PDB file of all heavy atoms in Angstrom:
ATOM      1  N   LYS D  76      41.545 177.563 191.467  1.00 86.00           N
ATOM      2  CA  LYS D  76      42.634 176.900 190.757  1.00 86.00           C
ATOM      3  C   LYS D  76      42.604 175.385 190.933  1.00 86.00           C
ATOM      4  O   LYS D  76      43.558 174.699 190.597  1.00 86.00           O
ATOM      5  CB  LYS D  76      43.968 177.497 191.184  1.00 86.00           C
ATOM      6  CG  LYS D  76      44.217 178.852 190.507  1.00 86.00           C
ATOM      7  CD  LYS D  76      45.407 178.796 189.569  1.00 86.00           C
ATOM      8  CE  LYS D  76      45.315 179.781 188.440  1.00 86.00           C
ATOM      9  NZ  LYS D  76      46.600 179.960 187.743  1.00 86.00           N
ATOM     10  N   MET D 264      54.412 170.647 206.871  1.00 95.00           N
ATOM     11  CA  MET D 264      55.060 171.931 206.606  1.00 95.00           C
ATOM     12  C   MET D 264      54.060 172.981 206.139  1.00 95.00           C
ATOM     13  O   MET D 264      54.277 174.173 206.329  1.00 95.00           O
ATOM     14  CB  MET D 264      56.123 171.773 205.521  1.00 95.00           C
ATOM     15  CG  MET D 264      57.437 171.186 206.016  1.00 95.00           C
ATOM     16  SD  MET D 264      57.469 169.399 205.932  1.00 95.00           S
ATOM     17  CE  MET D 264      57.656 169.121 204.184  1.00 95.00           C
ATOM     18  N   GLU D 281      55.816 179.901 208.959  1.00 91.00           N
ATOM     19  CA  GLU D 281      56.707 179.674 207.809  1.00 91.00           C
ATOM     20  C   GLU D 281      58.000 178.953 208.218  1.00 91.00           C
ATOM     21  O   GLU D 281      58.586 178.241 207.412  1.00 91.00           O
ATOM     22  CB  GLU D 281      57.087 181.021 207.173  1.00 91.00           C
ATOM     23  CG  GLU D 281      56.490 181.326 205.807  1.00 91.00           C
ATOM     24  CD  GLU D 281      56.470 180.184 204.808  1.00 91.00           C
ATOM     25  OE1 GLU D 281      57.500 179.932 204.173  1.00 91.00           O
ATOM     26  OE2 GLU D 281      55.426 179.529 204.652  1.00 91.00           O
ATOM     27  N   LYS D 283      58.360 176.841 210.828  1.00 95.00           N
ATOM     28  CA  LYS D 283      58.112 175.719 211.731  1.00 95.00           C
ATOM     29  C   LYS D 283      57.643 174.474 210.968  1.00 95.00           C
ATOM     30  O   LYS D 283      57.126 174.560 209.856  1.00 95.00           O
ATOM     31  CB  LYS D 283      57.028 176.101 212.760  1.00 95.00           C
ATOM     32  CG  LYS D 283      57.498 177.125 213.785  1.00 95.00           C
ATOM     33  CD  LYS D 283      58.413 176.480 214.789  1.00 95.00           C
ATOM     34  CE  LYS D 283      58.689 177.285 216.057  1.00 95.00           C
ATOM     35  NZ  LYS D 283      58.707 178.716 215.974  1.00 95.00           N
ATOM     36  N   MET D 301      61.861 174.491 211.476  1.00 95.00           N
ATOM     37  CA  MET D 301      62.075 173.814 210.202  1.00 95.00           C
ATOM     38  C   MET D 301      63.528 173.356 210.136  1.00 95.00           C
ATOM     39  O   MET D 301      64.432 174.074 210.566  1.00 95.00           O
ATOM     40  CB  MET D 301      61.757 174.765 209.046  1.00 95.00           C
ATOM     41  CG  MET D 301      61.837 174.145 207.664  1.00 95.00           C
ATOM     42  SD  MET D 301      60.600 172.841 207.359  1.00 95.00           S
ATOM     43  CE  MET D 301      61.396 171.940 206.016  1.00 95.00           C
ATOM     44  N   ASP D 305      67.976 165.195 206.971  1.00 98.00           N
ATOM     45  CA  ASP D 305      68.845 164.310 207.759  1.00 98.00           C
ATOM     46  C   ASP D 305      68.705 164.532 209.256  1.00 98.00           C
ATOM     47  O   ASP D 305      68.992 163.633 210.053  1.00 98.00           O
ATOM     48  CB  ASP D 305      70.311 164.510 207.350  1.00 98.00           C
ATOM     49  CG  ASP D 305      70.633 163.784 206.049  1.00 98.00           C
ATOM     50  OD1 ASP D 305      69.704 163.230 205.423  1.00 98.00           O
ATOM     51  OD2 ASP D 305      71.821 163.781 205.655  1.00 98.00           O
ATOM     52  N   GLN D 404      46.604 144.951 193.313  1.00 98.00           N
ATOM     53  CA  GLN D 404      46.425 146.082 192.394  1.00 98.00           C
ATOM     54  C   GLN D 404      45.229 146.925 192.788  1.00 98.00           C
ATOM     55  O   GLN D 404      44.138 146.433 193.068  1.00 98.00           O
ATOM     56  CB  GLN D 404      46.265 145.605 190.951  1.00 98.00           C
ATOM     57  CG  GLN D 404      46.175 146.799 189.993  1.00 98.00           C
ATOM     58  CD  GLN D 404      46.697 146.518 188.613  1.00 98.00           C
ATOM     59  OE1 GLN D 404      47.367 145.517 188.388  1.00 98.00           O
ATOM     60  NE2 GLN D 404      46.406 147.390 187.683  1.00 98.00           N
ATOM     61  N   MET D 411      53.818 143.679 192.144  1.00 97.00           N
ATOM     62  CA  MET D 411      53.946 142.330 191.627  1.00 97.00           C
ATOM     63  C   MET D 411      54.176 141.376 192.796  1.00 97.00           C
ATOM     64  O   MET D 411      54.334 141.790 193.940  1.00 97.00           O
ATOM     65  CB  MET D 411      55.139 142.250 190.659  1.00 97.00           C
ATOM     66  CG  MET D 411      54.858 142.867 189.295  1.00 97.00           C
ATOM     67  SD  MET D 411      56.321 142.932 188.212  1.00 97.00           S
ATOM     68  CE  MET D 411      56.710 141.190 187.996  1.00 97.00           C
TER      69      MET D 411
ATOM     70  N   LYS P  88      61.164 175.219 203.312  1.00 86.00           N
ATOM     71  CA  LYS P  88      60.087 174.299 203.656  1.00 86.00           C
ATOM     72  C   LYS P  88      60.151 173.016 202.845  1.00 86.00           C
ATOM     73  O   LYS P  88      59.203 172.242 202.850  1.00 86.00           O
ATOM     74  CB  LYS P  88      58.748 175.007 203.504  1.00 86.00           C
ATOM     75  CG  LYS P  88      58.460 175.914 204.712  1.00 86.00           C
ATOM     76  CD  LYS P  88      57.251 175.467 205.468  1.00 86.00           C
ATOM     77  CE  LYS P  88      57.311 175.827 206.929  1.00 86.00           C
ATOM     78  NZ  LYS P  88      56.007 175.698 207.585  1.00 86.00           N
ATOM     79  N   MET P 276      48.373 175.121 186.325  1.00 95.00           N
ATOM     80  CA  MET P 276      47.689 176.153 187.096  1.00 95.00           C
ATOM     81  C   MET P 276      48.661 176.939 187.979  1.00 95.00           C
ATOM     82  O   MET P 276      48.398 178.089 188.306  1.00 95.00           O
ATOM     83  CB  MET P 276      46.623 175.517 188.001  1.00 95.00           C
ATOM     84  CG  MET P 276      45.335 175.172 187.286  1.00 95.00           C
ATOM     85  SD  MET P 276      45.345 173.500 186.600  1.00 95.00           S
ATOM     86  CE  MET P 276      45.166 172.491 188.060  1.00 95.00           C
ATOM     87  N   ASP P 292      49.080 183.855 185.711  1.00 93.00           N
ATOM     88  CA  ASP P 292      48.077 184.654 186.418  1.00 93.00           C
ATOM     89  C   ASP P 292      47.172 183.759 187.266  1.00 93.00           C
ATOM     90  O   ASP P 292      46.907 182.616 186.912  1.00 93.00           O
ATOM     91  CB  ASP P 292      47.206 185.429 185.414  1.00 93.00           C
ATOM     92  CG  ASP P 292      47.972 186.550 184.738  1.00 93.00           C
ATOM     93  OD1 ASP P 292      49.091 186.874 185.202  1.00 93.00           O
ATOM     94  OD2 ASP P 292      47.467 187.087 183.734  1.00 93.00           O
ATOM     95  N   GLU P 293      46.685 184.344 188.349  1.00 91.00           N
ATOM     96  CA  GLU P 293      45.816 183.620 189.292  1.00 91.00           C
ATOM     97  C   GLU P 293      44.546 183.091 188.615  1.00 91.00           C
ATOM     98  O   GLU P 293      43.985 182.084 189.027  1.00 91.00           O
ATOM     99  CB  GLU P 293      45.406 184.545 190.443  1.00 91.00           C
ATOM    100  CG  GLU P 293      46.015 184.249 191.810  1.00 91.00           C
ATOM    101  CD  GLU P 293      46.062 182.783 192.206  1.00 91.00           C
ATOM    102  OE1 GLU P 293      45.027 182.235 192.617  1.00 91.00           O
ATOM    103  OE2 GLU P 293      47.139 182.177 192.120  1.00 91.00           O
ATOM    104  N   LYS P 295      44.207 182.294 185.363  1.00 95.00           N
ATOM    105  CA  LYS P 295      44.483 181.676 184.070  1.00 95.00           C
ATOM    106  C   LYS P 295      44.989 180.241 184.241  1.00 95.00           C
ATOM    107  O   LYS P 295      45.493 179.846 185.306  1.00 95.00           O
ATOM    108  CB  LYS P 295      45.557 182.493 183.323  1.00 95.00           C
ATOM    109  CG  LYS P 295      45.062 183.857 182.815  1.00 95.00           C
ATOM    110  CD  LYS P 295      44.166 183.676 181.607  1.00 95.00           C
ATOM    111  CE  LYS P 295      43.826 184.940 180.839  1.00 95.00           C
ATOM    112  NZ  LYS P 295      43.765 186.197 181.559  1.00 95.00           N
ATOM    113  N   GLN P 416      57.012 146.352 187.726  1.00 98.00           N
ATOM    114  CA  GLN P 416      57.155 146.991 189.038  1.00 98.00           C
ATOM    115  C   GLN P 416      58.324 147.958 189.060  1.00 98.00           C
ATOM    116  O   GLN P 416      59.425 147.657 188.603  1.00 98.00           O
ATOM    117  CB  GLN P 416      57.335 145.947 190.149  1.00 98.00           C
ATOM    118  CG  GLN P 416      57.366 146.627 191.527  1.00 98.00           C
ATOM    119  CD  GLN P 416      56.886 145.766 192.648  1.00 98.00           C
ATOM    120  OE1 GLN P 416      56.281 144.716 192.422  1.00 98.00           O
ATOM    121  NE2 GLN P 416      57.141 146.181 193.867  1.00 98.00           N
ATOM    122  N   MET P 423      49.848 144.498 188.207  1.00 97.00           N
ATOM    123  CA  MET P 423      49.748 143.049 188.108  1.00 97.00           C
ATOM    124  C   MET P 423      49.544 142.673 186.641  1.00 97.00           C
ATOM    125  O   MET P 423      49.351 143.534 185.778  1.00 97.00           O
ATOM    126  CB  MET P 423      48.569 142.546 188.942  1.00 97.00           C
ATOM    127  CG  MET P 423      48.828 142.514 190.439  1.00 97.00           C
ATOM    128  SD  MET P 423      47.367 142.061 191.437  1.00 97.00           S
ATOM    129  CE  MET P 423      47.039 140.382 190.874  1.00 97.00           C
TER     130      MET P 423
END
Side-chain angles (χ1 to χ4, degrees):
Chain D
K76 282 245 152 166
M264 281 89 74
E281 251 318 279
K283 290 285 194 328
M301 185 65 202
D305 281 6
Q404 184 151 346
M411 284 174 63
Chain P
K88 281 243 151 165
M276 280 90 74
D292 289 348
E293 251 317 282
K295 289 286 192 330
Q416 185 152 347
M423 283 175 63

